[in-house]
Amino acid sequence: MRCTVFGTGYLGATHAAGMAELGHEVVGVDIDPGKVAKLAAGDIPFYEPGLRKVLNGNLSAGRLRFTTDYDDAAEHADVHFLGVGTPQKKGDYGADLRHVHAVIDTLVPRLKRSAIIVGKSTVPVGTAAELAERARKLASHDVEIAWNPEFLREGFAVHDTLHPDRIVLGVQRDSTRAEAAVRELYAPLLDQGVPFLVTDLQTAELVKVSANAFLATKISFINAISEVCEAVDADVTLLADALGYDPRIGRRFLNAGLGFGGGCLPKDIRAFMARAGELGANHALTFLREVDSINMRRRTRMVELATKACGGSLLGANIAVLGAAFKPESDDVRDSPALNVAGMLQLNGATVNVYDPKALENSQKLFPTLNYSTSVVEACERADAVLVLTEWREFVELDPAELADTVRAKVVVDGRNCLDAARWHDAGWRVYALGRATV
Ligand SMILES: NC(=O)c1ccc[n+]([C@@H]2O[C@H](COP(=O)([O-])OP(=O)(O)OC[C@H]3O[C@@H](n4cnc5c(N)ncnc54)[C@H](O)[C@@H]3O)[C@@H](O)[C@H]2O)c1
């Protein structure tokens, strides 16, 4: 089958490559000519493990190409995926839908046959119905809107696209074609037995934001417990292990630490609260304000812990920050807790040397005034404290004995509870961590 994917960022580029991998003829469309040129040349404008291989395999096979030309894309297919960004509005909790609207306004008048637009972006509930109305006014042919929220995780995006946990499809009440078209596109996945849930538009939209709200709540729950652990010198990691054995709770997403960030969870829970308010259901989601505030408190708590680790003041302290991406296996620094903390440390008078295996370029664009190093050892040179703020495997596996000669003081602050504290302690380091006693 033929399809297009509008927006070729983290979601769209992966989806376009994934659909081509399933055997379809795919055109990826973006308004950023630089991004399109890179992708067309087999290069990825961001870091995502495994994506380069799938991209190149399908470019070579002739199943995948990229363009900025909407006429070309409108002509290419009758199923168009929409995967543009829906960032937080400036100065407001709501989602900024201008890119989504731009796709509809530019694409729909160009459609010369009946078509289906399948949204994948995360949007406030009610958006798809509003887009159906918007499209109806612009269309000269029948245009159906469907919503197929995306659950991929950066760092595992290729796997999640080709082996999703479930596929959710919201369709219009009077839909006649969307379900059949999407079933055909995803046939190889459905044949693997991936659950396929067909809903109305608003339920599909709500599934995605509810999933993110739940995950954010689980992280903030353990971080709230972590605050109590800190007050009594209890160990939040052992506590989480003990909780996790209960299958009703589960261990995943119970890692206490610096909290969540990135381009999705923070803006999605805020947009969810804003939308609930507009719908007159604001009380239903007031707990998410607390989830958000517990999460943001972790960043300040990390700065306090670093200050303590440096002997009570950050003035003149030389700090190595290991990790800048919001999570490992990604170069995404949108609302990254690690970079946020690095910035706050600098504001408090520390000299900060940041190292990240993949996110240096993006970090430099966002925080140009921090110092950046090209290796762990360079960042740790004469450091008064080493902060591990993203749990890259390279950091988890560091040899504390080897690093000891590089630093000025053998002090490590584990912002992700990812280090083997006993091993570091045995190598002569003082180990500070969120939610655990200092050893
Ligand atoms: N990144 C993820 O892990 C992830 C996971 C699930 C859902 N989502 C959702 O997917 C959506 C996209 O997220 P992302 O992380 O890929 O964002 P992104 O910023 O990486 O990519 C968005 C892309 O859309 C392009 N774009 C903007 N306006 C356009 C237009 N009018 N026509 C064509 N292209 C246009 C931009 O140039 C950019 O390349 C968001 O709603 C996000 O919440 C993202």
Side-chain angles (χ1 to χ4, degrees), residues 203-417:
T203 302
E205 293 166 320
L206 277 174
V207 169
K208 174 64 193 176
V209 284
S210 310
N212 277 358
F214 187 84
L215 294 172
T217 303
K218 203 168 174 192
I219 298 172
S220 278
F221 169 80
I222 198 67
N223 280 333
I225 301 296
S226 174
E227 291 184 11
V228 182
C229 286
E230 283 160 22
V232 293
D233 269 355
D235 188 313
V236 74
T237 304
L238 288 175
L239 180 144
D241 289 344
L243 289 184
Y245 281 111
D246 183 333
R248 294 170 304 176
I249 298 175
R251 180 63 176 81
R252 295 183 71 192
F253 268 68
L254 274 190
N255 291 326
L258 197 43
F260 57 83
C264 290
L265 286 194
K267 63 118 175 136
D268 287 350
I269 61 167
R270 290 171 195 158
F272 199 9
M273 281 187 268
R275 187 68 184 128
E278 286 168 7
L279 295 168
N282 43 336
H283 291 311
L285 298 185
T286 44
F287 75 96
L288 286 179
R289 194 173 285 277
E290 193 51 35
V291 165
D292 199 4
S293 111
I294 293 165
N295 190 55
M296 297 312 278
R297 265 204 312 271
R298 290 285 81 189
R299 303 179 187 189
T300 3
R301 174 71 191 127
M302 189 66 207
V303 175
E304 286 164 14
L305 194 61
T307 311
K308 186 175 163 199
C310 288
S313 169
L314 289 170
L315 262 186
N318 193 27
I319 297 187
V321 164
L322 302 185
F326 85 99
K327 68 172 191 177
E329 297 300 330
S330 175
D331 65 349
D332 196 344
V333 295
R334 289 178 287 185
D335 198 9
S336 165
L339 262 191
N340 227 275
V341 166
M344 284 197 272
L345 295 170
Q346 190 191 40
L347 281 177
N348 282 292
T351 301
V352 182
N353 297 295
V354 181
Y355 169 69
D356 187 283
K358 296 291 175 192
L360 287 182
E361 207 182 309
N362 285 343
S363 306
Q364 268 156 340
K365 282 186 217 147
L366 205 62
F367 277 88
T369 59
L370 296 170
N371 300 322
Y372 293 95
S373 304
T374 54
S375 68
V376 169
V377 171
E378 191 186 324
C380 293
E381 203 78 59
R382 299 180 55 72
D384 296 301
V386 175
L387 271 55
V388 178
L389 302 187
T390 311
E391 64 276 39
W392 283 97
R393 182 191 283 260
E394 179 183 347
F395 306 152
V396 176
E397 291 176 353
L398 276 173
D399 183 344
E402 246 176 54
L403 201 60
D405 293 339
T406 310
V407 296
R408 190 150 55 194
K410 282 185 273 178
V411 173
V412 66
V413 189
D414 184 358
R416 294 290 177 185
N417 283 311

Side-chain angles (χ1 to χ4, degrees), residues 5-14 29-33 35 39 45-46 48 67-68 70 82-87 97-104 106 120-123 147 149-155 157 208 212 263-265 267-268 326-327 332 334:
V5 180
F6 285 79
T8 58
Y10 287 92
L11 179 152
T14 314
V29 192
D30 207 288
I31 49 168
D32 180 341
K35 207 170 258 191
L39 288 164
F46 50 88
E48 183 59 49
T67 184
T68 54
Y70 266 66
L82 188 160
V84 294
T86 50
L97 294 176
R98 80 180 72 175
H99 304 302
V100 172
H101 289 155
V103 173
I104 299 295
T106 321
K120 293 200 73 65
S121 303
T122 305
V123 292
W147 220 261
E150 178 57 63
F151 302 101
L152 68 78
R153 300 160 298 164
E154 285 176 27
K208 174 64 193 176
N212 277 358
C264 290
L265 286 194
K267 63 118 175 136
D268 287 350
F326 85 99
K327 68 172 191 177
D332 196 344
R334 289 178 287 185

Side-chain angles (χ1 to χ4, degrees), residues 41-93:
D43 200 2
I44 304 165
F46 50 88
Y47 175 70
E48 183 59 49
L51 182 55
R52 186 178 298 270
K53 189 165 168 272
V54 180
L55 178 79
N56 279 290
N58 286 287
L59 285 171
S60 313
R63 282 192 296 267
L64 178 61
R65 61 187 178 85
F66 293 91
T67 184
T68 54
D69 184 348
Y70 266 66
D71 286 312
D72 175 8
E75 179 54 36
H76 173 76
D78 299 327
V79 181
H80 304 280
F81 287 101
L82 188 160
V84 294
T86 50
Q88 187 176 335
K89 275 187 200 155
K90 285 205 169 66
D92 192 336
Y93 266 12

Side-chain angles (χ1 to χ4, degrees), residues 108-155:
V108 172
R110 287 175 163 77
L111 296 172
K112 301 212 176 74
R113 306 175 297 270
S114 304
I116 302 160
I117 298 178
V118 185
K120 293 200 73 65
S121 303
T122 305
V123 292
V125 59
T127 302
E130 184 244 313
L131 295 182
E133 190 51 28
R134 198 175 181 108
R136 200 183 53 76
K137 289 184 185 147
L138 294 165
S140 48
H141 297 80
D142 179 47
V143 176
E144 269 189 34
I145 302 282
W147 220 261
N148 168 221
E150 178 57 63
F151 302 101
L152 68 78
R153 300 160 298 164
E154 285 176 27

